[in-house]
């Protein structure tokens, strides 16, 4: 059951084309600040409820980053593993055609699970407006994923958190969970700032070296041998051991629910930066805060991707993207840290700020 509250969702559009075999939906959570922004998720199990929850997160993420976007998300029920690529593209085109009634005016799409640049190109061309979607190929004005905007934002969030905790980043020890788009770019920028990577994990396991892991060698191990566990001279441990490594800062960049309540007592990091989405429950965040660990919430730390989407949306270039990601994450995280004690933990302050920004512009909201 979708939960409706004083903010939304404003509109839920379900679309169906039996001839193509397309069945999907768009949840437009709130458009007080601008058209709802959010990716298209294609999985066999995607539901309106799941999409509605993700759309709400987008409302807060865009508000906190001070972007002229609201929150939205869409889902297409299909299993890309069991259909041809041709069929997948046909489904995307049918979805884009059916959602023209809300996009681009009220919905701006983006990639999500199982959708990427090619799907965004099809969406844009079928819709007829390049403003209907971000994450397009470079030739259509897209800002490539390979620029690492989210990891760059995670780096700046880490930098601000370290300053707040009076930890010198150039001498800090770091663990990074996940070495994909977010984790590898966070690792790159953190290493460039002089921080020491002690542990890095991926699907293969956890590579640890107390003397420090070299970023280029991590990339080589991943790209040439398939996993960071092939790093030379590293101790290899199970993934989950990353949670209790003796480091100053832990960056999450892979799976949801990584840190459970039972892990709290074993955590040695002074700062946890949530590069991934929902790496722990709010209850775990509160418990860590009580323990003195500074937890930077996901929708604050990983907003680099949506900030980059905004730059693409206005036709900007990569230099502008890097500048805006740095400026917005720095300014808004500082604001959150200033207010966190009034709301119990950083997420409480971040949510309060985001809600206030939406309420100021919202004519339909009721609290
Ligand atoms: P990705 O697919 O590029 O990389 C995922 C990484 O996690 C890979 O290195 C994979 O090997 C690793 N991994 C998988 N299972 C693991 C496990 N059990 N332990 C350790 N590592 C494991 O994904 P990504 O784009 O980097 O996204 C990572 C997280 O960040 C996700 O939660 C995603 O929703 C979130 N996020 C991503 C973006 C973005 O722009 N890419 C933006 C916001 C949030």
């Amino acid at each position: 059951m979708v939960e409706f509250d004083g903010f939304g969702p404003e509109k839920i559009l379900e679309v169906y084309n039996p001839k193509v075999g397309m069945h999907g939906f768009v949840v437009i959570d709130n458009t007080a600040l601008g058209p709802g922004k959010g990716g298209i998720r294609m999985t066999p199990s995607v539901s309106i409820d799941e999409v509605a929850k993700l759309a709400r997160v987008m409302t807060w993420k865009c508000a906190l980053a001070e972007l002229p976007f609201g929150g939205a998300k869409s889902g297409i029920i299909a299993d890309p593993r069991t259909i041809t690529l041709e069929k997948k593209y046909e489904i995307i085109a049918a979805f884009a055609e059916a959602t023209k009634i809300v996009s681009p005016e009220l919905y701006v799409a983006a990639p999500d699970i199982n959708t990427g640049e090619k799907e965004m190109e099809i969406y844009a061309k079928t819709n007829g407006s390049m403003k209907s979607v971000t994450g397009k190929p470079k030739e259509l004005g897209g800002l490539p994923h390979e620029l690492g905007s989210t990891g760059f934002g995670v780096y700046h969030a880490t930098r601000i958190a370290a300053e707040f905790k009076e930890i010198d980043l150039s001498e800090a020890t770091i663990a990074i969970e996940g070495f994909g788009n977010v984790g590898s770019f966070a690792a790159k920028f953190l290493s460039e700032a002089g921080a020491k990577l002690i542990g890095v994990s991926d699907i293969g396991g956890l590579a640890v070296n107390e003397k420090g892991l070299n970023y280029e060698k991590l990339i080589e191990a991943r790209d040439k041998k398939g996993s960071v566990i092939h790093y030379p001279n590293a101790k290899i441990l199970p993934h989950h051991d990353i949670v209790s490594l003796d480091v100053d800062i832990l960056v999450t960049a892979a799976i949801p629910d990584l840190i459970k309540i039972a892990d709290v007592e074993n955590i040695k990091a002074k700062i946890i930066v949530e590069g991934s989405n929902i790496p722990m429950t709010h209850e775990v965040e509160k418990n860590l805060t009580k323990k003195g660990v500074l937890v930077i919430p996901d929708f604050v730390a990983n907003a680099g991707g949506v900030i980059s989407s905004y730059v693409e949306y206005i036709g900007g270039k990569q230099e502008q993207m890097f500048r805006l990601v740095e400026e917005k994450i720095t300014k808004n995280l500082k604001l959150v840290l200033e207010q966190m004690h009034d709301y119990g933990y950083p997420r409480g302050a971040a949510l309060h700020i985001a809600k206030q920004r939406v309420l100021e512009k919202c004519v339909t909201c009721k609290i």
Side-chain angles (χ1 to χ4, degrees):
M1 271 282 287
V2 173
E3 282 174 37
F4 289 85
D5 65 14
F7 289 91
E10 289 173 7
K11 282 188 180 58
I12 300 178
L13 172 69
E14 188 159 10
V15 291
Y16 180 52
N17 179 332
K19 194 167 177 189
V20 173
M22 180 279 291
H23 185 183
F25 25 81
V26 184
V27 177
I28 298 168
D29 183 56
N30 189 289
T31 57
L33 299 177
K37 187 85 189 75
I40 306 172
R41 174 164 293 196
M42 183 189 270
T43 64
S45 60
V46 67
S47 67
I48 296 184
D49 288 11
E50 175 187 343
V51 165
K53 288 194 178 83
L54 296 163
R56 173 55 56 86
V57 174
M58 289 306 294
T59 300
W60 303 147
K61 191 185 278 199
C62 293
L64 198 87
E66 295 181 286
L67 295 172
F69 284 141
K73 197 89 179 182
S74 50
I76 301 176
I77 305 166
D79 188 350
R81 291 169 306 181
T82 60
I83 55 174
T84 61
L85 209 50
E86 211 175 24
K87 186 63 175 173
K88 185 184 185 191
Y89 295 161
E90 198 189 345
I91 291 174
I92 294 286
F95 182 75
E97 186 62 45
T99 53
K100 270 185 191 174
I101 49 170
V102 291
S103 178
E105 282 74 20
L106 296 173
Y107 175 56
V108 181
D112 195 75
I113 298 174
N114 290 325
T115 61
E117 277 187 5
K118 182 66 190 168
E119 288 77 17
M120 299 308 112
E121 174 179 347
I122 295 168
Y123 188 97
K125 287 183 174 163
T126 310
N127 178 283
S129 167
M130 289 298 136
K131 284 226 183 302
S132 62
V133 60
T134 61
K136 300 180 291 289
K138 208 172 173 195
E139 311 81 72
L140 296 182
L143 285 171
H145 210 45
E146 292 72 35
L147 293 172
S149 54
T150 305
F152 184 66
V154 169
Y155 156 66
H156 282 290
T158 311
R159 181 178 60 76
I160 298 302
E163 259 173 47
F164 185 79
K165 283 286 232 179
E166 297 181 348
I167 293 173
D168 181 352
L169 198 55
S170 69
E171 288 180 3
T173 53
I174 314 258
I176 300 186
E177 178 243 3
F179 201 63
N181 185 270
V182 178
S184 67
F185 281 100
K188 174 178 188 281
F189 296 115
L190 285 164
S191 311
E192 284 171 5
K196 198 197 267 187
L197 304 174
I198 298 288
V200 173
S201 67
D202 66 12
I203 188 82
L206 165 64
V208 176
N209 189 330
E210 277 85 13
K211 294 197 179 112
L213 298 159
N214 173 275
Y215 168 74
E216 305 295 341
K217 286 188 187 161
L218 282 165
I219 292 285
E220 202 177 308
R222 181 193 70 180
D223 294 351
K224 291 206 176 135
K225 297 193 173 156
S227 168
V228 295
I229 59 167
H230 299 293
Y231 188 96
N233 309 324
K235 189 164 57 184
I236 306 306
L237 300 171
H239 317 111
H240 196 72
D241 287 12
I242 195 145
V243 161
S244 51
L245 276 190
D246 190 3
V247 287
D248 297 315
I249 302 168
L250 169 63
V251 175
T252 72
I255 59 166
D257 271 325
L258 169 74
I259 302 172
K260 310 269 192 315
I261 202 88
D263 294 318
V264 170
E265 61 176 321
N266 301 322
I267 288 189
K268 300 182 190 75
K270 301 174 192 81
I271 297 170
I272 300 179
V273 181
E274 297 182 349
S276 53
N277 289 320
I278 331 175
M280 64 187 93
T281 61
H282 299 183
E283 192 198 351
V284 175
E285 285 184 7
K286 284 180 187 159
N287 277 279
L288 283 166
T289 306
K290 273 191 206 134
K291 190 180 156 160
V293 182
L294 177 62
V295 184
I296 307 302
D298 45 11
F299 75 97
V300 182
N302 69 25
V306 76
I307 298 169
S308 170
S309 298
Y310 168 67
V311 176
E312 174 176 334
Y313 183 77
I314 59 170
K317 299 278 172 274
Q318 70 183 68
E319 302 72 41
Q320 192 178 356
M321 178 277 280
F322 283 117
R323 184 161 41 79
L324 222 60
V325 170
E326 176 172 352
E327 276 173 21
K328 285 184 174 292
I329 292 200
T330 301
K331 176 184 164 197
N332 289 300
L333 178 52
K334 281 186 174 172
L335 208 59
V336 167
L337 295 175
E338 276 165 24
Q339 298 185 22
M340 67 179 231
H341 292 299
D342 299 340
Y343 299 93
Y345 67 140
R347 181 177 296 272
L351 278 172
H352 175 78
I353 296 165
K355 281 182 187 175
Q356 286 308 114
R357 287 177 181 167
V358 173
L359 281 174
E360 271 166 29
K361 291 278 167 68
C362 190
V363 289
T364 55
C365 295
K366 183 170 184 284
I367 295 303

